[in-house]
Amino acid sequence: QEASKAPLLEEGQANKLLSDSIAAFKKMVDSSPCKVVVHKSTSYCDAERLGFENALRDIPQFGLATIGRRGIFFMRPGRKPVLRGTAIPFDEKLGLVFTSGYVPFLRGYSGNRMPQPLEIIENWGSISFQQAARDLIRLTKLNLNSCEFAADLPITLSHCQEIGDVLQALGRTEPATDDRYYL
């Protein structure tokens, strides 16, 4: 019932959105990306998936991942929380990833609650669970607006609502490729 409230793209909209993003990347870097992964917090409908996959047909590695939480907790022996970076595969494509937890280098855990893992619920494309898990861990360290060692959510999902609010306030219908609007 909650998923029905989520905005879904038509095949053409999904294709245009991702094709435009890839074209902007090519223009800035003068090269095609070797890997593209799209993160969502809601499931992909068939039309969205077809549109994204069509836009990614020339990309060697790609993934369309749905990231969420199920309320699962794990504990390890002793008094320390689960290690940040712990990945628990369910199969080749799906599983749990602890983006927060005990960090041996820092000798601590900065949270005040038991770490809760992110779950890779859907993973379409050529990216394995292990690759997706490593990407999620890396993407939690990219928030330039925070002094935190790592965030709980990857940067691809952590500021979606705020970016939408900025675009709406600016009266824009197309996202800006210049990142100064978002930092």
Side-chain angles (χ1 to χ4, degrees):
Q1 193 176 37
E2 191 67 32
S4 64
K5 294 180 184 179
L8 299 173
L9 299 173
E10 296 172 9
E11 183 177 347
Q13 292 173 315
N15 187 320
K16 181 177 177 355
L17 176 67
L18 197 49
S19 294
D20 290 352
S21 299
I22 292 170
F25 179 90
K26 286 179 183 178
K27 184 179 176 183
M28 291 176 127
V29 179
D30 199 28
S31 178
S32 292
C34 298
K35 176 175 150 184
V36 173
V37 179
V38 178
H39 290 153
K40 279 185 66 174
S41 58
T42 58
S43 294
Y44 290 87
C45 68
D46 291 338
E48 273 180 324
R49 213 174 82 237
L50 288 172
F52 286 138
E53 286 174 345
N54 188 38
L56 294 165
R57 67 184 174 275
D58 296 328
I59 306 298
Q61 280 192 315
F62 76 89
L64 303 173
T66 300
I67 311 297
R69 293 193 195 274
R70 209 190 309 190
I72 297 174
F73 294 94
F74 288 90
M75 299 181 72
R76 69 180 194 157
R79 302 188 67 195
K80 295 179 181 141
V82 173
L83 292 170
R84 172 179 144 69
T86 298
I88 303 169
F90 295 154
D91 61 26
E92 291 292 319
K93 298 280 208 170
L94 308 176
L96 301 172
V97 182
F98 281 86
T99 56
S100 63
Y102 183 78
V103 179
F105 175 76
L106 300 175
R107 294 188 201 137
Y109 166 55
S110 61
N112 56 3
R113 296 187 180 135
M114 189 179 300
Q116 186 180 10
L118 294 179
E119 181 177 0
I120 299 174
I121 300 167
E122 290 182 316
N123 186 2
W124 305 97
S126 60
I127 304 296
S128 70
F129 167 72
Q130 292 299 329
Q131 289 172 305
R134 280 193 297 271
D135 288 346
L136 284 176
I137 292 297
R138 289 180 187 126
L139 290 169
T140 61
K141 297 184 84 167
L142 286 179
N143 187 353
L144 302 177
N145 293 325
S146 171
C147 62
E148 287 182 275
F149 171 74
D152 204 26
L153 287 174
I155 192 70
T156 53
L157 294 175
S158 63
H159 297 289
C160 296
Q161 186 61 50
E162 291 93 340
I163 290 170
D165 292 345
V166 167
L167 293 174
Q168 188 174 15
L170 292 173
R172 299 183 75 121
T173 57
E174 293 290 321
T177 55
D178 189 349
D179 63 0
R180 70 179 167 198
Y181 290 106
Y182 311 117
L183 291 176

